[in-house]
Amino acid sequence: MTEAEWKTRKRRIDPKLDAVGWPLPKSRSKPSAVRSEEEETDNGPADYALWLDGQVAAVVEAKKLTVGPQNVLTQAERYAKGLRDSRFDFDGLRCPFLYATNGEVIWFHDVRHALNRSCRVSTFHTPSALRELLGRDLGDACEKALALPHDHPRLRPYQKEANAAVEKAISERKRNLLVAMATGTGKTYTLVNQIYRAMKTGIAKRVLFLVDRRALAAQAVRAFNSFEVRPGYKFTSDYEVYSSRFQMGDFDDEDKFDPKVLPQGYLTDPKPGHAFVYVCTIQRMAINILGRSAIFGLGDEAVDDDADKINIPIHAFDLIVADECHRGYTSQEISTWRSTLDHFDAIKVGLTATPASHTTAFFTNKVFEYGYEQAVRDGHLVDYDAVNVRSEVRMNGLFLREGENVEVVDPENGLSKMDQLEDERTFDTAEIEAKVTAPESNKKILKEIKKYADRHEQEHGRFPKTLIFAVNDMPHTSHADQLVDLAKDVFGKGEAFVEKITGRVDRPLQRIREFRNRPNPGITVTVDLLTTGVDIPDLEYIVFLRPVKSRILFEQMIGRGTRKGEKYPDKDHFTVFDCFDGTLLAYFKKATGITAETPLQPTRTVKEIINDIWANKDRDYNIGCLVKRLQRIDKAMSAEGRVLFAKHVPNGDLAKYARQLPGALRSDFVDAMKLLRNDEFQELLVAYPRPQRTFMKAYEQTDQVSSVYMFRDIAGNEYKPADYLQVFAKFVTENQDHIDAVRILLDRPRSWSPSALTELKTKLTQSRYRFSPDNLQKAHEIHYKKALVDLVSMVKHAAHEEAPLLTATERVERAFSKITSGMTFTADQQKWLDRIREHLRENLSIDKEDFELVPVLSDAGGWPVARRIFGEPQLEALIANLNEAIAA
């Protein structure tokens, strides 16, 4: 910390300059790229000057290690103004680039444009990087981009707005941009078009597209290869798209392209002539930049065996797009994300549906946002309904009685044996599926879901494609495996109908693709592999059997169902089954677009904490951390561990030792640290014996499972069926004078007509409560146990409880009986009455135009033939009377 400036220069700065190609010349002859020291200027000597092709391209201001370099760029400016014999002049500055550094932190400023901001860089630019920067005119490229029409025929208006917002921000020299778009609104497609526009106009030539899963990488490669930049020409007609290696099963059979593997030279020796997109996982790029040790704990994605640390210069890419940039649920993950992104001096665009506080802290300029609610209102996504499933086991835990028979499973090898409990045992809700399972509880929950699936199949003629989130997929005690086996029995649709897709199955990407594109599997069980970025438009049921605490994760899981149907265009909503009696949905109900969520703290090793205490670094805080760590170890160790600890602390009582440690350190710090710094003791603190994990299957446990369908209004408020119908009754009463169709039904049935019915459906559906005919019919069926109640009955019953609830068929038959009673008809007239009856069962109203527009009427000759059969006055009277009878 007391290092002098000259030592900082020799030990830290000089090696960095040498490493990237700025040597100190050993003779008077100067190569094309060199550095000079103590370069004379009219304002005093500059610490370093970086010479490029006979001209000073950059001035470097050096400070000792203890000085923050950001605030000393002004000194570099002063020396730049005093440079002699320079052909450069940028508002008085005689070189284009400035650096300030203390040997560890480097700040850089491109002074050629007034809006260019100084920024921190991970190291110095190479000579070729500065030469390339000098040859590029970003201002001209931005002007081209701003003038380029946003006229791609397949882009929606909001996607074009996103592209325009990104380009405007770049033209304003902003470099860390955030685009927030709801899941299912075409984020990847939007950015593929953005990248093409950037490459076409010269904003960028070398583009890195970062993802955090191979599934997303394969999806992105497909998107680039299929994107049509102009009629008859794909993205790859103009620019190369590279990736790391995939398996053949990662792509659809109809994908008629071979993913190209990026030549390593494109990373280590970037050329101005290169123009390409590189799709890469964050895990692989982190290895390339930071080494393999950097990715430990970075999610559960498999690591590429052929990835190694390589020397990638900071100008390897001009533009970096970080897809799903909300990722990073721990500080360690966030640190790796940032370190990887920070390595590059590039424009960075973060792309996510769920920006978190740590996301906006890095991508500081949120340039565009298109949220879920807006996308639903615009008709691009579908909203969800909720079913609250209550399981007493899930809500209250398990109580096992003395004498109860259980199956005890060894999680290490899967061997099991039956045992009879000698005492009662209690498991709280957090231990369900981790330490104990009740198969009957899981089976009852699946049976409850089947009730809704059966009704859906009856109404729509198809089984709802279903995604179930399980608690875990641990070997031998897998909750996912149990659900798969039970679901095969409960749903009874064959072996291939239910499948597990987790990181533990063979070729998970291929299985995801099959789930998306094929009828089987109809039900998929996962843990978190399908939580983000996986596009399954026809998904209609999402089942939460996994308790979720992360808002970001929850919103991503919900996002799997928001897309409009692909094979099923009539998909107008999806259904979320909250198997914790609605507590998950209630907890996350107020989740905002920017989710302020504190990431989990990094796990420092015990040795690191002890070393910080010894170094007197924030001693009191670290002593507190160590005490808590020792107390956790005491609770987690086995009997064998206590014996081993007895060699170091009395009776192996680590908890007592932890309680006494702060006092011991205060009274005799050096003596107390002897044990803590002992290598054997430190090794034991890490590798202490743990008790063998046990797992029980409580086959004799019963569970009470029930469910209730919840109706959601536009604001997200939820209503049970009875409450929903009460709100509907209040709405009808309050709107009698505002909705003419309601007034007609209640007071003027003679005026009932198809236009009145259309107005009624529109006004109800567009209300804040979403009183669509389907929602109202569902509520009446659940509450009154009456299926297929017609809309006229629902309105009348809401206004007057004594009004009967009829189906459309019952209402039409009642109207016909009233109107035709005592009348006789010819055979031809009777045929027409049957046609009119069939039409009314579907539409509950009729007018003259229907005879020409509705096939059941028009195919028989329409109005002219019916008029001839009945006579025009009689036919008109019949229609008016039937409408009135239906509305009465």
Side-chain angles (χ1 to χ4, degrees):
M1 298 297 290
T2 59
E3 184 176 86
E5 183 180 314
W6 70 269
K7 285 188 177 180
T8 297
R9 291 174 63 172
K10 296 306 174 189
R11 292 178 178 178
R12 303 176 191 272
I13 301 175
D14 289 359
K16 284 182 169 62
L17 289 168
D18 290 334
V20 296
W22 298 104
L24 194 65
K26 297 179 180 179
S27 64
R28 289 188 177 183
S29 63
K30 292 184 178 180
S32 60
V34 294
R35 74 173 185 266
S36 61
E37 298 180 354
E38 303 301 331
E39 179 70 28
E40 288 295 331
T41 77
D42 291 341
N43 297 324
D47 291 330
Y48 298 93
L50 305 185
W51 292 77
L52 194 63
D53 302 325
Q55 289 285 320
V56 175
V59 168
V60 182
E61 176 63 20
K63 291 297 178 184
K64 61 183 179 180
L65 188 62
T66 55
V67 176
Q70 181 179 6
N71 297 319
V72 297
L73 275 171
T74 52
Q75 290 183 246
E77 288 183 12
R78 178 156 52 87
Y79 297 130
K81 289 178 179 178
L83 286 171
R84 301 164 184 167
D85 301 323
S86 174
R87 64 181 176 86
F88 300 117
D89 191 344
F90 303 102
D91 198 22
L93 297 170
R94 306 306 302 277
C95 71
F97 309 116
L98 306 176
Y99 294 92
T101 180
N102 65 356
E104 295 299 328
V105 176
I106 304 172
W107 278 79
F108 170 70
H109 191 190
D110 179 348
V111 300
R112 294 174 299 162
H113 192 284
L115 292 180
N116 283 348
R117 294 282 304 277
S118 60
C119 61
R120 185 170 171 174
V121 291
S122 59
T123 190
F124 294 100
H125 295 83
T126 65
S128 60
L130 292 190
R131 187 176 286 111
E132 185 176 343
L133 278 175
L134 281 171
R136 179 182 300 164
D137 189 342
L138 181 60
D140 179 66
C142 288
E143 288 181 9
K144 290 179 180 177
L146 294 175
L148 187 65
H150 293 276
D151 57 0
H152 195 289
R154 291 191 58 190
L155 258 66
R156 296 167 179 166
Y158 64 86
Q159 294 172 314
K160 296 176 182 178
E161 291 173 19
N163 288 160
V166 169
E167 289 160 3
K168 180 175 182 293
I170 293 174
S171 71
E172 295 169 350
R173 298 307 197 268
K174 295 172 181 175
R175 292 171 63 81
N176 288 344
L177 315 180
L178 180 65
V179 175
M181 294 172 62
T183 297
T185 55
K187 297 188 298 295
T188 302
Y189 198 81
T190 302
L191 263 293
V192 170
N193 186 61
Q194 184 68 77
I195 289 168
Y196 181 77
R197 289 174 62 91
M199 297 179 76
K200 181 177 181 180
T201 56
I203 289 176
K205 288 297 183 184
R206 300 183 298 269
V207 180
L208 174 62
F209 196 95
L210 272 180
V211 297
D212 74 330
R213 293 186 183 277
R214 283 179 56 242
L216 299 184
Q219 186 172 299
V221 170
R222 284 196 298 269
F224 278 103
N225 278 271
S226 63
F227 185 80
E228 193 171 69
V229 296
R230 56 189 179 278
Y233 291 89
K234 304 292 187 183
F235 189 106
T236 49
S237 301
D238 292 359
Y239 303 109
E240 299 283 3
V241 175
Y242 295 104
S243 66
S244 53
R245 286 183 174 84
F246 290 104
Q247 298 174 348
M248 290 306 296
D250 294 341
F251 295 94
D252 293 329
D253 296 334
E254 60 267 24
D255 287 334
K256 304 299 183 183
F257 64 90
D258 295 320
K260 297 180 180 179
V261 176
L262 183 76
Q264 185 168 304
Y266 278 42
L267 291 175
T268 57
D269 187 21
K271 303 292 186 184
H274 290 164
F276 64 90
V277 176
Y278 178 38
V279 179
C280 182
T281 64
I282 182 67
Q283 291 85 351
R284 184 182 184 89
M285 187 55 65
I287 292 173
N288 291 158
I289 300 297
L290 308 170
R292 299 189 76 86
S293 61
I295 64 164
F296 292 139
L298 191 63
D300 58 358
E301 186 75 358
V303 178
D304 294 341
D305 293 334
D306 62 338
D308 292 303
K309 185 176 181 179
I310 54 179
N311 185 23
I312 303 178
I314 65 175
H315 71 293
F317 298 101
D318 313 310
L319 172 65
I320 298 176
V321 175
D323 195 15
E324 306 292 352
C325 66
H326 61 274
R327 297 291 287 186
Y329 303 118
T330 69
S331 293
Q332 180 181 349
E333 290 176 337
I334 294 168
S335 177
T336 303
W337 260 105
R338 286 198 171 190
S339 297
T340 304
L341 291 169
D342 280 340
H343 174 79
F344 297 103
D345 179 33
I347 298 166
K348 293 152 190 170
V349 180
L351 187 61
T352 184
T354 51
S357 56
H358 63 264
T359 313
T360 54
F362 183 86
F363 297 99
T364 50
N365 300 287
K366 185 169 72 169
V367 298
F368 184 77
E369 184 170 15
Y370 188 71
Y372 172 59
E373 292 79 8
Q374 183 65 47
V376 171
R377 286 195 295 271
D378 292 345
H380 298 304
L381 297 179
V382 297
D383 207 347
Y384 69 87
D385 288 337
V387 174
N388 292 349
V389 180
R390 180 176 179 84
S391 155
E392 295 302 322
V393 168
R394 257 67 193 172
M395 300 308 297
N396 301 316
L398 269 177
F399 175 75
L400 304 184
R401 301 177 302 278
E402 179 183 347
E404 189 166 336
N405 293 305
V406 296
E407 182 181 352
V408 180
V409 180
D410 185 340
E412 297 297 321
N413 54 36
L415 296 176
S416 64
K417 63 178 182 179
M418 295 302 296
D419 193 15
Q420 191 175 72
L421 294 180
E422 298 181 18
D423 196 4
E424 60 188 34
R425 291 198 62 176
T426 301
F427 296 90
D428 63 32
T429 55
E431 295 175 309
I432 304 299
E433 309 306 343
K435 293 184 178 180
V436 66
T437 185
E440 197 241 10
S441 172
N442 286 313
K443 190 170 188 175
K444 279 192 172 180
I445 291 171
L446 292 174
K447 285 183 175 180
E448 197 69 19
I449 294 165
K450 184 177 183 294
K451 295 178 185 177
Y452 293 88
D454 289 346
R455 180 171 183 250
H456 184 284
E457 196 165 13
Q458 290 173 1
E459 292 180 355
H460 299 281
R462 64 176 182 271
F463 186 90
K465 194 164 276 286
T466 301
L467 180 62
I468 301 176
F469 286 104
V471 175
N472 60 57
D473 188 28
M474 303 287 287
H476 311 305
T477 61
S478 169
H479 184 220
D481 285 343
Q482 183 187 152
L483 290 174
V484 168
D485 289 339
L486 290 172
K488 289 176 180 178
D489 290 337
V490 169
F491 289 90
K493 291 180 178 287
E495 181 75 13
F497 189 73
V498 186
E499 191 172 67
K500 178 181 76 173
I501 303 179
T502 69
R504 291 182 57 227
V505 302
D506 181 46
R507 296 198 172 185
L509 301 189
Q510 181 176 341
R511 291 172 184 254
I512 291 171
R513 189 181 70 247
E514 291 170 352
F515 181 49
R516 181 195 192 282
N517 296 332
R518 299 178 183 179
N520 281 345
I523 299 174
T524 285
V525 180
T526 189
V527 177
D528 60 6
L529 192 61
L530 279 76
T531 58
T532 181
V534 177
D535 182 8
I536 306 174
D538 295 315
L539 188 67
E540 294 186 272
Y541 279 10
I542 296 178
V543 180
F544 282 94
L545 264 166
R546 170 188 175 184
V548 181
K549 296 182 179 179
S550 164
R551 288 183 186 273
I552 299 173
L553 184 58
F554 177 79
E555 290 172 7
Q556 288 288 328
M557 293 161 98
I558 286 285
R560 298 313 100 211
T562 59
R563 290 171 176 82
K564 298 176 73 174
E566 196 171 80
K567 296 183 180 70
Y568 310 126
D570 62 331
K571 175 190 171 184
D572 57 7
H573 73 283
F574 66 104
T575 303
V576 175
F577 291 84
D578 182 345
C579 298
F580 301 90
D581 199 21
T583 56
L584 280 183
L585 289 169
Y587 179 74
F588 293 115
K589 179 180 174 182
K590 296 181 180 179
T592 59
I594 299 295
T595 305
E597 191 167 304
T598 303
L600 300 175
Q601 292 301 309
T603 304
R604 289 188 297 164
T605 65
V606 174
K607 185 174 183 179
E608 289 172 336
I609 297 173
I610 292 172
N611 287 343
D612 285 344
I613 295 172
W614 179 246
N616 203 23
K617 187 185 295 184
D618 206 355
R619 182 189 289 184
D620 290 342
Y621 168 75
N622 281 302
I623 289 173
C625 291
L626 181 60
V627 167
K628 290 182 178 178
R629 190 71 64 87
L630 295 175
Q631 289 172 336
R632 288 202 297 268
I633 293 172
D634 184 82
K635 292 180 179 179
M637 75 173 75
S638 66
E640 180 188 357
R642 200 166 298 281
V643 171
L644 295 175
F645 273 112
K647 298 178 182 178
H648 304 282
V649 299
N651 301 317
D653 191 344
L654 203 59
K656 183 178 180 180
Y657 170 75
R659 290 193 299 271
Q660 296 173 346
L661 182 59
L665 289 168
R666 282 193 298 269
S667 61
D668 192 339
F669 180 75
V670 174
D671 186 65
M673 288 297 300
K674 286 181 180 178
L675 174 60
L676 291 174
R677 301 182 70 212
N678 178 279
D679 290 340
E680 184 181 347
F681 184 65
Q682 287 189 0
E683 184 177 347
L684 184 58
L685 289 174
V686 175
Y688 60 89
R690 276 80 165 170
Q692 183 179 1
R693 187 169 75 91
T694 60
F695 188 83
M696 292 186 181
K697 293 183 178 181
Y699 288 107
E700 296 181 8
Q701 278 291 310
T702 59
D703 191 12
Q704 297 298 317
V705 175
S706 59
S707 65
V708 58
Y709 200 97
M710 305 297 289
F711 297 89
R712 300 175 69 248
D713 63 20
I714 289 177
N717 300 309
E718 294 180 349
Y719 305 87
K720 293 180 179 179
D723 299 329
Y724 192 63
L725 293 179
Q726 284 186 356
V727 174
F728 177 61
K730 183 179 179 182
F731 179 87
V732 169
T733 301
E734 292 176 349
N735 284 277
Q736 291 185 33
D737 297 327
H738 303 293
I739 301 177
D740 191 48
V742 173
R743 172 58 57 192
I744 288 173
L745 284 178
L746 299 181
D747 293 334
R748 296 184 283 110
R750 187 70 180 174
S751 301
W752 185 246
S753 66
S755 61
L757 177 62
T758 299
E759 182 208 11
L760 180 63
K761 289 180 177 179
T762 301
K763 291 292 178 65
L764 292 178
T765 301
Q766 292 179 350
S767 72
R768 58 170 291 193
Y769 301 103
R770 302 195 310 159
F771 291 130
S772 67
D774 184 61
N775 277 350
L776 290 171
Q777 206 168 67
K778 197 175 297 179
H780 280 82
E781 179 177 354
I782 295 171
H783 185 63
Y784 291 108
K785 310 301 181 187
K786 174 81 173 180
L788 304 176
V789 176
D790 73 85
L791 188 58
V792 173
S793 292
M794 292 189 272
V795 172
K796 286 181 168 292
H797 186 80
H800 307 291
E801 286 190 17
E802 66 276 9
L805 292 173
L806 305 175
T807 65
T809 298
E810 290 169 344
R811 179 164 294 279
V812 170
E813 291 306 316
R814 192 180 72 164
F816 264 83
S817 178
K818 179 180 179 181
I819 297 304
T820 63
S821 178
M823 300 175 65
T824 57
F825 298 95
T826 67
D828 288 338
Q829 289 175 334
Q830 190 60 54
K831 290 179 181 178
W832 272 99
L833 287 175
D834 290 341
R835 296 184 186 109
I836 293 171
R837 178 186 283 108
E838 183 179 348
H839 169 72
L840 286 172
R841 286 172 180 166
E842 295 295 326
N843 299 278
L844 288 176
S845 62
I846 188 171
D847 64 10
K848 183 177 178 180
E849 289 184 358
D850 290 334
F851 283 80
E852 305 303 326
L853 299 176
V854 179
V856 70
L857 302 175
S858 63
D859 289 351
W863 182 262
V865 175
R867 180 182 57 193
R868 178 170 55 80
I869 297 296
F870 285 98
E872 185 160 1
Q874 292 84 354
L875 182 58
E876 290 178 345
L878 175 67
I879 290 173
N881 291 336
L882 282 172
N883 280 331
E884 181 179 11
I886 284 173

